[in-house]
Short mmCIF file of all heavy atoms in Angstrom, two decimals:
data_model
loop_
_atom_site.label_atom_id
_atom_site.label_comp_id
_atom_site.label_asym_id
_atom_site.label_seq_id
_atom_site.Cartn_x
_atom_site.Cartn_y
_atom_site.Cartn_z
N TRP A 73 40.24 16.36 5.69
CA TRP A 73 39.05 16.35 4.94
C TRP A 73 38.46 15.01 4.48
O TRP A 73 37.31 14.71 4.24
CB TRP A 73 39.29 17.07 3.56
CG TRP A 73 40.39 16.54 2.73
CD1 TRP A 73 41.64 16.92 2.76
CD2 TRP A 73 40.16 15.48 1.77
NE1 TRP A 73 42.39 16.24 1.81
CE2 TRP A 73 41.60 15.36 1.25
CE3 TRP A 73 39.23 14.74 1.26
CZ2 TRP A 73 41.83 14.37 0.37
CZ3 TRP A 73 39.47 13.81 0.30
CH2 TRP A 73 40.72 13.51 -0.18
N LEU A 74 39.31 13.81 4.58
CA LEU A 74 39.02 12.56 4.20
C LEU A 74 37.81 11.89 4.94
O LEU A 74 36.96 11.40 4.48
CB LEU A 74 40.13 11.64 4.10
CG LEU A 74 39.94 10.25 3.45
CD1 LEU A 74 39.36 10.38 2.12
CD2 LEU A 74 41.19 9.43 3.62
N PRO A 75 37.91 11.96 6.37
CA PRO A 75 36.83 11.32 7.10
C PRO A 75 35.56 12.04 6.82
O PRO A 75 34.51 11.29 6.67
CB PRO A 75 37.32 11.49 8.50
CG PRO A 75 38.77 11.72 8.44
CD PRO A 75 39.01 12.46 7.22
N ALA A 76 35.41 13.35 6.73
CA ALA A 76 34.19 13.96 6.53
C ALA A 76 33.61 13.68 5.13
O ALA A 76 32.44 13.48 4.90
CB ALA A 76 34.39 15.53 6.70
N ALA A 77 34.54 13.54 4.13
CA ALA A 77 34.13 13.18 2.69
C ALA A 77 33.49 11.80 2.82
O ALA A 77 32.46 11.47 2.15
CB ALA A 77 35.23 13.27 1.74
N LEU A 78 34.13 10.90 3.57
CA LEU A 78 33.59 9.57 3.64
C LEU A 78 32.22 9.40 4.35
O LEU A 78 31.41 8.71 4.02
CB LEU A 78 34.58 8.60 4.39
CG LEU A 78 35.79 8.33 3.56
CD1 LEU A 78 36.87 7.46 4.36
CD2 LEU A 78 35.49 7.50 2.33
N TRP A 79 32.10 10.29 5.42
CA TRP A 79 30.78 10.35 6.11
C TRP A 79 29.75 10.83 5.25
O TRP A 79 28.56 10.31 5.36
CB TRP A 79 30.93 11.32 7.31
CG TRP A 79 31.97 10.90 8.36
CD1 TRP A 79 32.42 9.72 8.60
CD2 TRP A 79 32.66 11.76 9.19
NE1 TRP A 79 33.32 9.67 9.58
CE2 TRP A 79 33.57 10.91 10.03
CE3 TRP A 79 32.69 13.20 9.40
CZ2 TRP A 79 34.38 11.55 10.98
CZ3 TRP A 79 33.59 13.79 10.36
CH2 TRP A 79 34.47 12.83 11.14
N GLY A 80 29.97 11.75 4.31
CA GLY A 80 28.90 12.23 3.43
C GLY A 80 28.69 11.37 2.25
O GLY A 80 27.65 11.66 1.61
N LEU A 81 29.49 10.58 1.85
CA LEU A 81 29.45 9.82 0.52
C LEU A 81 28.15 8.99 0.43
O LEU A 81 27.39 9.16 -0.59
CB LEU A 81 30.68 8.83 0.37
CG LEU A 81 30.67 8.11 -1.04
CD1 LEU A 81 30.67 8.91 -2.14
CD2 LEU A 81 31.91 7.22 -1.02
N PRO A 82 27.78 8.13 1.46
CA PRO A 82 26.46 7.55 1.30
C PRO A 82 25.21 8.43 1.17
O PRO A 82 24.45 8.16 0.27
CB PRO A 82 26.36 6.67 2.59
CG PRO A 82 27.77 6.70 3.18
CD PRO A 82 28.47 7.94 2.72
N LEU A 83 25.39 9.54 1.77
CA LEU A 83 24.11 10.45 1.63
C LEU A 83 24.19 11.20 0.25
O LEU A 83 23.10 11.48 -0.19
CB LEU A 83 24.18 11.57 2.75
CG LEU A 83 24.18 10.97 4.18
CD1 LEU A 83 24.17 12.12 5.21
CD2 LEU A 83 22.98 10.07 4.41
N TRP A 84 25.34 11.44 -0.31
CA TRP A 84 25.32 11.97 -1.62
C TRP A 84 24.68 10.92 -2.69
O TRP A 84 23.99 11.25 -3.59
CB TRP A 84 26.73 12.28 -2.04
CG TRP A 84 27.05 13.78 -1.74
CD1 TRP A 84 26.28 14.85 -2.06
CD2 TRP A 84 28.27 14.25 -1.14
NE1 TRP A 84 26.86 15.92 -1.62
CE2 TRP A 84 28.21 15.65 -1.12
CE3 TRP A 84 29.48 13.72 -0.77
CZ2 TRP A 84 29.19 16.52 -0.63
CZ3 TRP A 84 30.47 14.45 -0.14
CH2 TRP A 84 30.31 15.87 -0.17
N ILE A 85 24.87 9.66 -2.46
CA ILE A 85 24.35 8.75 -3.32
C ILE A 85 22.91 8.66 -3.23
O ILE A 85 22.18 8.56 -4.12
CB ILE A 85 24.87 7.19 -2.89
CG1 ILE A 85 26.39 7.14 -3.23
CG2 ILE A 85 24.08 6.10 -3.62
CD1 ILE A 85 27.04 5.93 -2.77
N ALA A 86 22.36 8.84 -1.84
CA ALA A 86 20.84 8.98 -1.67
C ALA A 86 20.30 10.23 -2.35
O ALA A 86 19.33 10.23 -2.93
CB ALA A 86 20.58 8.99 -0.14
N ALA A 87 21.14 11.31 -2.24
CA ALA A 87 20.72 12.50 -2.95
C ALA A 87 20.60 12.31 -4.50
O ALA A 87 19.67 12.87 -5.11
CB ALA A 87 21.59 13.71 -2.59
N ALA A 88 21.59 11.65 -4.97
CA ALA A 88 21.52 11.44 -6.49
C ALA A 88 20.26 10.56 -6.91
O ALA A 88 19.75 10.77 -7.82
CB ALA A 88 22.92 10.72 -6.86
N LEU A 89 20.03 9.52 -6.13
CA LEU A 89 18.93 8.76 -6.40
C LEU A 89 17.54 9.48 -6.21
O LEU A 89 16.68 9.29 -7.12
CB LEU A 89 18.73 7.64 -5.44
CG LEU A 89 17.64 6.56 -5.55
CD1 LEU A 89 17.79 5.88 -6.91
CD2 LEU A 89 17.63 5.48 -4.43
N ILE A 90 17.41 10.50 -5.32
CA ILE A 90 16.25 11.34 -5.42
C ILE A 90 16.11 12.16 -6.60
O ILE A 90 14.96 12.18 -7.17
CB ILE A 90 16.39 12.18 -4.09
CG1 ILE A 90 16.17 11.40 -2.80
CG2 ILE A 90 15.21 13.36 -4.14
CD1 ILE A 90 16.31 12.25 -1.51
N GLY A 91 17.23 12.61 -7.06
CA GLY A 91 17.20 13.42 -8.29
C GLY A 91 16.81 12.56 -9.48
O GLY A 91 16.04 12.89 -10.26
N VAL A 92 17.31 11.29 -9.63
CA VAL A 92 16.99 10.46 -10.71
C VAL A 92 15.57 10.00 -10.71
O VAL A 92 14.85 9.99 -11.72
CB VAL A 92 18.03 9.19 -10.62
CG1 VAL A 92 17.40 8.18 -11.67
CG2 VAL A 92 19.36 9.56 -10.96
N VAL A 93 14.99 9.68 -9.47
CA VAL A 93 13.70 9.17 -9.32
C VAL A 93 12.64 10.17 -9.67
O VAL A 93 11.55 10.04 -10.41
CB VAL A 93 13.48 8.47 -8.08
CG1 VAL A 93 11.96 8.17 -7.80
CG2 VAL A 93 14.26 7.17 -7.94
N THR A 94 12.80 11.38 -8.92
CA THR A 94 11.91 12.44 -9.19
C THR A 94 12.01 13.23 -10.50
O THR A 94 11.09 13.81 -10.93
CB THR A 94 12.00 13.50 -8.05
OG1 THR A 94 13.32 14.15 -7.99
CG2 THR A 94 11.76 12.86 -6.72
N GLY A 95 13.20 13.19 -11.10
CA GLY A 95 13.45 13.90 -12.31
C GLY A 95 13.53 15.36 -12.09
O GLY A 95 13.40 16.23 -12.93
N SER A 96 13.81 15.79 -10.90
CA SER A 96 13.82 17.25 -10.54
C SER A 96 15.29 17.64 -10.13
O SER A 96 15.80 17.13 -9.14
CB SER A 96 12.87 17.53 -9.23
OG SER A 96 13.07 18.85 -8.84
N ALA A 97 15.82 18.52 -11.00
CA ALA A 97 17.15 18.97 -10.62
C ALA A 97 17.23 19.83 -9.47
O ALA A 97 18.23 19.90 -8.68
CB ALA A 97 17.65 19.77 -11.82
N VAL A 98 16.18 20.65 -9.23
CA VAL A 98 16.13 21.32 -7.93
C VAL A 98 16.14 20.59 -6.68
O VAL A 98 16.89 20.89 -5.75
CB VAL A 98 14.73 22.27 -7.95
CG1 VAL A 98 14.62 23.09 -6.76
CG2 VAL A 98 14.78 23.20 -9.31
N LEU A 99 15.39 19.42 -6.75
CA LEU A 99 15.40 18.54 -5.52
C LEU A 99 16.81 17.95 -5.39
O LEU A 99 17.20 17.85 -4.26
CB LEU A 99 14.33 17.50 -5.71
CG LEU A 99 12.96 17.82 -5.41
CD1 LEU A 99 12.02 16.59 -5.78
CD2 LEU A 99 12.64 18.29 -3.92
N PHE A 100 17.42 17.63 -6.40
CA PHE A 100 18.73 17.00 -6.34
C PHE A 100 19.66 18.11 -5.74
O PHE A 100 20.41 17.73 -4.87
CB PHE A 100 19.20 16.50 -7.74
CG PHE A 100 20.73 16.23 -7.60
CD1 PHE A 100 21.17 15.17 -7.00
CD2 PHE A 100 21.59 17.03 -8.49
CE1 PHE A 100 22.59 14.82 -7.04
CE2 PHE A 100 22.93 16.74 -8.43
CZ PHE A 100 23.46 15.68 -7.78
N VAL A 101 19.70 19.32 -6.37
CA VAL A 101 20.66 20.28 -5.95
C VAL A 101 20.38 20.69 -4.40
O VAL A 101 21.37 20.84 -3.59
CB VAL A 101 20.49 21.51 -6.75
CG1 VAL A 101 21.22 22.74 -6.10
CG2 VAL A 101 20.96 21.35 -8.17
N ALA A 102 19.11 20.73 -3.98
CA ALA A 102 18.77 20.97 -2.56
C ALA A 102 19.31 19.95 -1.66
O ALA A 102 19.89 20.30 -0.53
CB ALA A 102 17.31 21.27 -2.46
#
Side-chain angles (χ1 to χ4, degrees):
W73 57 267
L74 183 57
L78 289 176
W79 297 333
L81 181 59
L83 302 184
W84 266 315
I85 294 174
L89 182 62
I90 292 176
V92 170
V93 169
T94 61
S96 172
V98 177
L99 282 176
F100 168 69
V101 171

